[in-house]
C-alpha cells in the first residue's frame, strides 16, 4: 500500500507537469518553440506534438487552417516538417560566381529551345506535382489568397480598407505628395508564396517575406506595384547558374475621398522566373528550377535573404551596363568602319 501510494502521486505530478508544460509551449511562436525544445528533455518530448506546430503554422500562414491544406501538409510529413521547410527563406550565395564571359547569349551546346525549356522530352517532373500556398499578412489584416490552381471568382477577391487599419487618404494628389499609403504598404506588407511538391514531399517559401522594391502610381495614378522574390539556383539547368524568382503584387485604389473609406483591391498576383539578362524562364526548365529550390540553402536571418536579393539586382545592373558599353563600342566600330570604307571608295573613284 505504501508503495502504491508513493507511485500514484508521482505519476499524477508527472502528468500535471506535462499539462503545464504543454500549456506553456502552445503559447509560443515557432522560433521560441524550437529553442524551448532544446532546453530540457520534457520540453523536447512535448514539442514533438503535431498540434503545437499546427498552431504555429496557423498563426504564421492562415491558409493552413483550411481542411484541404491541412490534408496536404499531413501527406508530406506533418506541420513540424512543414514549418522547418518553409519558415527559413531561400538564400543564394552563388551570385558573385556569375561571370559575364561565362554566359554567352546562346552557348554552342544549348539550342534556343533548350535554353527556354521548350523541348518535348520525357521527364518525371510535371506541373501537377506542384501546389502553391499563398498568404498576405500586414498590420492591417491577414488574408488567404489562394490554394493551388482554381477558378477565380468574386469570393476570392482581396480588399484592404480603413476599417482594417489602412491609413486614410483624401485624394490621389495628396498621396502622390506625402506617400503615406505607399509607406504603410512597403513597411507593413508581408507576403508568403510556398511551393509544395507532392511527389517528393518537400516545400519551400519562394518569397522574401518583406518587399524588395516597388513602384507607386504605375501604370495608372491609382496603382501600386510591390515586388517580392528570391534568388534560385539554376546550376546544371541553365548556363547562367542563377535566376530570380519575381513575385508581383498589384493593388488599385478603388475608393478615396473625404467621408469615404479608402479601399485597396488586389488586382494582380503573379510569379515568374527571369535569368540575369531579364529573359523569362518557362517550360520544363522552370519546373526543374522550382524542384531544385526545394532542397537549396536557407536562412532564418531574413536580412541575409534581402541582402542576397539586392546583391543579385546589383550584379544584374552591372551586367546590363557592361552589355550597353559593349554594344556602344560595336556601334562606334561599325560607324568608323563605314566611314573608312566610304573614304576608301571615294579615293579610288577620284
Amino acid at each position: 500500500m505504501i508503495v502504491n501510494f508513493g507511485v500514484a502521486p508521482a505519476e499524477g505530478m508527472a502528468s500535471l507537469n506535462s499539462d503545464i508544460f504543454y500549456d506553456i509551449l502552445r503559447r509560443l511562436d515557432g522560433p521560441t518553440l524550437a529553442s524551448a525544445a532544446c532546453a530540457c528533455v520534457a520540453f523536447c518530448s512535448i514539442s514533438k506534438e503535431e498540434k503545437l506546430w499546427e498552431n504555429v503554422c496557423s498563426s504564421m500562414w492562415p491558409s493552413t487552417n483550411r481542411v484541404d491544406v491541412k490534408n496536404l501538409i499531413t501527406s508530406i510529413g506533418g506541420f513540424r516538417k512543414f514549418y522547418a521547410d518553409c519558415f527559413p527563406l531561400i538564400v543564394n550565395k552563388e551570385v558573385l560566381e556569375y561571370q559575364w564571359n561565362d554566359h554567352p547569349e546562346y552557348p554552342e551546346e544549348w539550342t534556343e529551345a533548350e535554353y527556354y525549356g521548350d523541348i518535348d522530352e520525357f521527364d518525371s517532373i510535371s506541373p501537377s506535382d506542384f501546389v502553391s500556398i499563398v498568404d498576405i499578412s500586414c498590420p492591417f489584416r491577414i488574408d488567404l489568397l489562394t490554394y493551388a490552381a482554381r477558378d477565380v471568382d468574386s469570393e476570392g477577391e482581396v480588399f484592404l480598407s480603413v476599417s482594417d487599419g489602412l491609413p486614410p487618404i483624401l485624394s490621389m494628389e495628396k498621396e502622390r505628395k506625402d506617400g503615406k499609403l505607399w509607406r504603410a504598404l512597403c513597411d507593413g506588407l508581408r507576403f508568403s508564396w510556398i511551393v509544395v511538391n507532392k511527389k517528393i514531399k518537400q516545400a519551400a517559401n519562394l518569397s522574401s517575406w518583406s518587399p524588395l522594391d516597388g513602384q507607386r502610381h504605375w501604370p495608372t495614378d491609382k496603382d501600386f506595384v510591390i515586388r517580392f522574390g528570391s534568388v534560385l539556383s539554376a546550376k546544371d539547368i541553365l548556363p547562367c547558374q542563377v535566376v530570380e524568382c519575381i513575385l508581383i503584387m498589384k493593388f488599385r485604389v478603388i475608393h478615396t475621398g473625404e467621408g469615404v473609406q479608402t479601399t485597396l483591391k488586389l488586382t494582380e498576383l503573379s510569379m515568374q522566373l527571369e535569368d540575369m539578362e531579364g529573359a523569362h524562364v518557362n517550360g520544363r526548365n522552370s519546373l526543374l528550377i522550382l524542384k531544385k529550390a526545394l532542397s537549396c540553402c536557407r536562412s532564418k536571418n531574413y536580412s541575409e535573404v534581402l541582402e542576397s536579393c539586392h546583391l543579385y539586382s546589383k550584379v544584374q545592373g552591372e551586367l546590363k551596363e557592361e552589355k550597353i558599353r559593349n554594344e556602344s563600342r560595336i556601334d562606334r566600330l561599325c560607324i568608323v568602319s563605314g566611314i573608312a570604307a566610304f573614304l576608301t571608295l571615294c579615293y579610288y573613284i577620284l
Side-chain angles (χ1 to χ4, degrees), residues 50 53 57 72-83:
E50 272 292 290
W53 293 102
C57 291
L72 173 67
I73 294 174
T74 301
S75 70
I76 64 172
F79 285 91
R80 187 183 179 197
K81 178 180 182 296
F82 181 79
Y83 181 86

Side-chain angles (χ1 to χ4, degrees), residues 138-326:
C138 55
F140 333 120
R141 182 178 175 183
I142 298 179
D143 256 309
L144 165 69
L145 297 185
T146 185
Y147 166 72
R150 301 197 175 188
D151 294 333
V152 178
D153 52 31
S154 58
E155 294 181 357
E157 293 181 343
V158 175
F159 297 91
L160 293 176
S161 67
V162 173
S163 60
D164 300 311
L166 200 67
I169 55 175
L170 298 178
S171 66
M172 292 310 301
E173 291 76 13
K174 183 174 178 56
E175 166 60 23
R176 181 180 286 275
K177 292 179 180 178
D178 58 33
K180 185 178 179 181
L181 178 60
W182 173 246
R183 286 195 302 272
L185 289 173
C186 291
D187 294 341
L189 204 59
R190 298 294 178 264
F191 182 56
S192 171
W193 189 310
I194 295 173
V195 169
V196 180
N197 189 305
K198 297 179 291 183
K199 182 177 291 186
I200 62 176
K201 301 183 185 302
Q202 289 183 325
N205 197 337
L206 302 181
S207 179
S208 52
W209 191 240
S210 300
L212 296 175
D213 55 42
Q215 191 170 2
R216 59 174 179 156
H217 310 302
W218 188 90
T220 71
D221 190 54
K222 294 185 177 182
D223 289 312
F224 297 86
V225 179
I226 303 175
R227 186 175 71 89
F228 300 78
S230 56
V231 180
L232 308 181
S233 173
K235 195 172 184 179
D236 301 325
I237 301 174
L238 295 178
C240 61
Q241 304 298 310
V242 290
V243 300
E244 184 178 21
C245 176
I246 302 174
L247 306 174
I248 297 293
M249 297 181 68
K250 186 180 291 184
F251 289 94
R252 172 166 293 176
V253 178
I254 57 174
H255 294 131
T256 184
E258 200 166 342
V260 179
Q261 274 201 348
T262 301
T263 304
L264 290 179
K265 177 182 178 181
L266 182 67
T267 58
E268 180 182 324
L269 181 64
S270 63
M271 176 179 71
Q272 62 189 41
L273 302 181
E274 289 187 0
D275 65 10
M276 273 285 185
E277 295 184 7
H280 290 192
V281 182
N282 302 309
R284 174 174 167 270
N285 285 337
S286 65
L287 297 179
L288 291 174
I289 291 172
L290 289 178
K291 183 178 180 181
K292 191 178 185 69
L294 300 177
S295 56
C296 66
C297 179
R298 305 173 206 193
S299 174
K300 297 177 183 177
N301 185 350
Y302 286 5
S303 61
E304 188 178 356
V305 175
L306 294 175
E307 183 181 349
S308 172
C309 294
H310 292 318
L311 178 61
Y312 181 94
S313 299
K314 180 183 177 181
V315 173
Q316 186 180 47
E318 292 173 352
L319 292 173
K320 287 181 179 180
E321 291 177 1
E322 179 64 23
K323 185 176 182 179
I324 293 173
R325 284 195 294 268
N326 289 338

Side-chain angles (χ1 to χ4, degrees), residues 314-350:
K314 180 183 177 181
V315 173
Q316 186 180 47
E318 292 173 352
L319 292 173
K320 287 181 179 180
E321 291 177 1
E322 179 64 23
K323 185 176 182 179
I324 293 173
R325 284 195 294 268
N326 289 338
E327 291 175 349
S328 179
R329 293 190 193 102
I330 294 174
D331 290 341
R332 288 197 297 269
L333 181 61
C334 290
I335 292 173
V336 171
S337 300
I339 294 173
F342 176 75
L343 293 176
T344 302
L345 180 62
C346 290
Y347 174 80
Y348 281 108
I349 291 176
L350 297 176

Side-chain angles (χ1 to χ4, degrees), residues 25-35 53 56 59 83:
L25 294 181
R26 73 180 180 84
R27 302 171 188 274
L28 305 180
D29 59 14
T32 310
L33 178 58
S35 299
W53 293 102
V56 168
S59 175
Y83 181 86

